[in-house]
Amino acid sequence: AAPAFAEEGLLNFGKVKLGGGFALNLDIPETGVVNIVVLIGGLIYLLGPLLSESMATREKEIQTDIDDAIAKYNEATARLAEAQKAKAQADEVIAEINASIEKDQKEFEATIQAQTSATLAKQAAAAESALKELEANADSQVETYIQQQSVKRGMAELSRLSDAQKAKFMDAAIAAL
């Protein structure tokens, strides 16, 4: 049997075979397009306000979320700026502390060197003084030893003198006074 085609009319554009027993029916009155259009129109009329209200609510929620995100971004940007400012201040303080430490180290080193030089100078002066004192003491001891030895030798020579020499010595000593 031959396939049944509807008469072609104003809204009947026939069928287009797609193969495998399938075809695209372009007959608008037969397919019920009018019913579908009326159904879709009714759904839009009835559900339109609900959908538009739902869409408006969703749009408000999205706008609120966007506004919140912008506020959080601005807050984060402000905090970042504050953190960078605080970091810059901390870097300045660190630089000042490092400069102070370096200055203190140089001053300490200069003080240590000055104290070392002063201590060495004092020790050298003390050693020089002690050396002079020892030298004077040694000179004094040598002088005392020489005098003692002179007196001993003199006494020994006097004891070996004859009576005539003793009398002559006594006369010379008295004359020297």
Side-chain angles (χ1 to χ4, degrees):
F5 285 107
E7 274 184 37
E8 292 204 18
L10 182 63
L11 297 173
N12 185 2
F13 299 106
K15 291 185 179 180
V16 177
K17 291 194 178 200
L18 298 174
F22 292 100
L24 183 59
N25 188 358
L26 298 177
D27 185 7
I28 292 176
E30 185 179 305
T31 58
V33 172
V34 174
N35 291 336
I36 294 174
V37 169
V38 170
L39 179 64
I40 290 174
L43 287 174
I44 289 175
Y45 177 75
L46 294 174
L47 296 178
L50 181 64
L51 289 175
S52 65
E53 184 180 317
S54 174
M55 293 303 262
T57 304
R58 182 67 184 138
E59 182 180 354
K60 287 178 185 177
E61 288 175 3
I62 290 172
Q63 189 61 43
T64 303
D65 290 345
I66 290 172
D67 293 342
D68 289 346
I70 290 172
K72 287 179 182 179
Y73 171 78
N74 290 337
E75 182 181 347
T77 303
R79 285 185 180 180
L80 176 63
E82 289 175 13
Q84 288 174 338
K85 183 179 177 183
K87 183 187 179 297
Q89 289 174 344
D91 289 342
E92 289 177 14
V93 170
I94 289 171
E96 289 175 7
I97 290 171
N98 287 338
S100 175
I101 289 172
E102 190 173 315
K103 177 185 167 198
D104 290 346
Q105 285 176 338
K106 288 180 181 178
E107 288 177 358
F108 182 71
E109 187 177 314
T111 302
I112 292 296
Q113 287 178 350
Q115 287 177 348
T116 303
S117 297
T119 301
L120 289 175
K122 286 179 184 176
Q123 287 177 347
E128 185 71 26
S129 172
L131 185 60
K132 285 181 182 179
E133 187 178 310
L134 287 173
E135 190 175 297
N137 195 9
D139 287 345
S140 171
Q141 286 179 354
V142 167
E143 187 69 29
T144 303
Y145 178 74
I146 290 172
Q147 287 175 359
Q148 286 175 353
Q149 290 301 317
S150 298
V151 168
K152 279 184 184 179
R153 284 186 186 173
M155 291 299 281
E157 283 181 24
L158 282 178
S159 62
R160 283 188 249 147
L161 288 177
S162 62
D163 286 335
Q165 287 176 331
K166 285 181 187 179
K168 186 178 172 187
F169 178 75
M170 285 303 274
D171 289 337
I174 291 174
L177 288 175

